[in-house]
Amino acid sequence: MTRLLLLATGGTIAGRGADSASLNTYTAGVLAGDELLDAVPSLQDLAEIRVEQVANVDSADLLFQHWRELVRRIRLAFASDPALAGVVISHGTNTLEETAWLLQQLIDDPRPVVLVGAMRPATTLSADGPLNLFQAVQVACNPQARQRGVLTVMDGAIHAAAEVTKRATQGVGAFISSATGPLGWVDDAGVHWSSMPNSPPTPFATLELPERWPQVAVLHGCVEPPAVVLPALLKAGIQGLVFTGTGAGQLSVVERKALAAWSDTLPLMLRANRCGSGPVYEDPEDERLGLLAAGSLNPQKARVLLLLAVIAGWNRDDLAALL
Ligand code: ASP
């Protein structure tokens, strides 16, 4: 029988509500991973699933140490068990795309890593977690899931880590891949693939993650951003900075002046955008101001990339080469 590892981290999929009609009043990260499996007995027909509990938190409360532990356990599981077909991770939806993107950078294995969450707590009428978990396991068992990198499965849609984002605060169909659409879908007839991103790159496949991580901040672009924020962050010694620029990743004069006036070494910096879709291209001023265009990475994924680049000791040229 197909063998999988389930790494449980919490989230609404493991949440317990005040009553069965509560969609928003609940505590995330209550049920353990094996309780999630027990709630879906038909999973036993699909795979033999070993459960490891990595955390049991709301995903807004995930810590770098949880990411480090996930990476360690996935690398170890793949290295020590050639017969393991894949890994499923139960996760809160709020930061699911960041964890998926992080793992995409760090896990170099053709076998699938599939993240799954739920928008409704486990105790709610029509909870979406059990079906999402079943479908995530279907995808992880599917031989054609290999070589597609880290995936997410929610509401029957299969998304690639690079593209997926949470786009709604409510509703079971909260995840989209705005530029490309999903990679495929899952239904009664099984797993269907509509596109194939072949072996996405894993630039940090051998990177060892430290106990202490660097500080990388995100600044949100808006009308007249408070002038004190940027110098304060730079003085505080942050090691990376993502600008959620307006439009196609534009910085205000206030921000550009602050960067131009800074006399110490600037941290690694990326310009992303706040539109939610579409790329940010290189700008003639970027080099002078120490910036790099984040391409189509959203701000939270750009931050993940910067965290890893800083950990790896990369400079602006190294990061530019990757982007
Ligand atoms: N609060 C939840 C989380 O852990 C939201 C969810 O899982 O849907 O991210």
Side-chain angles (χ1 to χ4, degrees), residues 29-97:
V30 175
L31 303 181
D34 42 21
E35 292 177 279
L36 303 186
L37 285 187
D38 290 348
V40 192
S42 49
L43 281 172
Q44 286 169 12
D45 303 330
L46 288 186
E48 184 192 312
I49 306 172
R50 181 163 58 85
V51 188
E52 292 180 19
Q53 194 79 40
V54 175
N56 211 356
V57 295
D58 187 293
S59 73
D61 298 322
L62 271 181
L63 302 172
F64 294 145
Q65 74 186 51
H66 296 131
W67 275 355
R68 185 170 179 249
E69 188 56 19
L70 272 177
V71 171
R72 189 187 72 75
R73 292 198 197 200
I74 297 168
R75 283 177 172 166
L76 181 69
F78 280 150
S80 62
D81 187 355
L84 188 73
V87 175
V88 174
I89 301 172
S90 57
H91 198 290
T93 61
N94 288 354
T95 62
L96 184 138
E97 69 201 64

Side-chain angles (χ1 to χ4, degrees), residues 12 35 42 59 65 153 165 169 177 186 202 244 249 280 283 317:
T12 297
E35 292 177 279
S42 49
S59 73
Q65 74 186 51
V153 173
T165 192
T169 61
S177 295
V186 205
T202 50
T244 305
V280 171
D283 180 278
D317 291 341

Side-chain angles (χ1 to χ4, degrees), residues 93 96-97 119 152-155 157-168 171-183 275-278 298 300-301:
T93 61
L96 184 138
E97 69 201 64
M119 292 295 288
T152 73
V153 173
M154 293 280 298
D155 193 31
I158 310 166
H159 296 277
E163 300 293 336
V164 70
T165 192
K166 185 175 181 181
R167 264 296 155 261
V172 296
F175 283 78
I176 60 164
S177 295
S178 63
T180 58
L183 289 181
C275 295
S277 176
N298 68 23
Q300 52 273 31
K301 290 186 195 172

Side-chain angles (χ1 to χ4, degrees), residues 10-274:
T12 297
I13 192 169
R16 183 175 281 148
D19 57 68
S20 64
S22 288
L23 291 178
N24 289 309
T25 311
Y26 65 92
T27 308
V30 175
L31 303 181
D34 42 21
E35 292 177 279
L36 303 186
L37 285 187
D38 290 348
V40 192
S42 49
L43 281 172
Q44 286 169 12
D45 303 330
L46 288 186
E48 184 192 312
I49 306 172
R50 181 163 58 85
V51 188
E52 292 180 19
Q53 194 79 40
V54 175
N56 211 356
V57 295
D58 187 293
S59 73
D61 298 322
L62 271 181
L63 302 172
F64 294 145
Q65 74 186 51
H66 296 131
W67 275 355
R68 185 170 179 249
E69 188 56 19
L70 272 177
V71 171
R72 189 187 72 75
R73 292 198 197 200
I74 297 168
R75 283 177 172 166
L76 181 69
F78 280 150
S80 62
D81 187 355
L84 188 73
V87 175
V88 174
I89 301 172
S90 57
H91 198 290
T93 61
N94 288 354
T95 62
L96 184 138
E97 69 201 64
E98 285 164 72
T99 301
W101 178 240
L102 176 99
L103 298 175
Q104 178 59 65
Q105 309 305 304
L106 290 157
I107 305 297
D108 186 15
D109 198 287
R111 289 169 282 185
V113 174
V114 182
L115 283 89
V116 62
M119 292 295 288
R120 297 173 180 160
T123 50
T124 303
L125 293 168
S126 293
D128 52 332
L131 180 58
N132 286 348
L133 181 60
F134 186 82
Q135 293 185 326
V137 168
Q138 277 182 294
V139 171
C141 290
N142 184 269
Q144 289 172 58
R146 291 170 70 95
Q147 308 278 16
R148 290 180 199 256
V150 176
L151 305 169
T152 73
V153 173
M154 293 280 298
D155 193 31
I158 310 166
H159 296 277
E163 300 293 336
V164 70
T165 192
K166 185 175 181 181
R167 264 296 155 261
T169 61
Q170 308 287 321
V172 296
F175 283 78
I176 60 164
S177 295
S178 63
T180 58
L183 289 181
W185 71 98
V186 205
D187 61 21
D188 276 19
V191 180
H192 313 269
W193 299 98
S194 47
S195 54
M196 174 79 190
N198 252 329
S199 300
T202 50
F204 299 100
T206 56
L207 184 67
E208 288 303 325
L209 299 173
E211 242 167 72
R212 275 177 62 88
W213 285 40
Q215 290 293 328
V216 174
V218 181
L219 276 184
H220 197 79
C222 53
V223 170
E224 197 169 332
V228 293
V229 173
L230 185 49
L233 282 172
L234 294 172
K235 269 193 210 119
I238 52 149
Q239 289 158 280
L241 188 52
V242 177
F243 289 94
T244 305
T246 55
Q250 198 178 328
L251 266 63
S252 65
V253 170
V254 170
E255 290 158 322
R256 280 184 279 140
K257 270 191 182 156
L259 290 180
W262 184 250
S263 53
D264 293 0
T265 312
L266 283 163
L268 277 183
M269 292 184 293
L270 285 172
R271 277 189 308 113
N273 77 85
R274 68 177 202 179

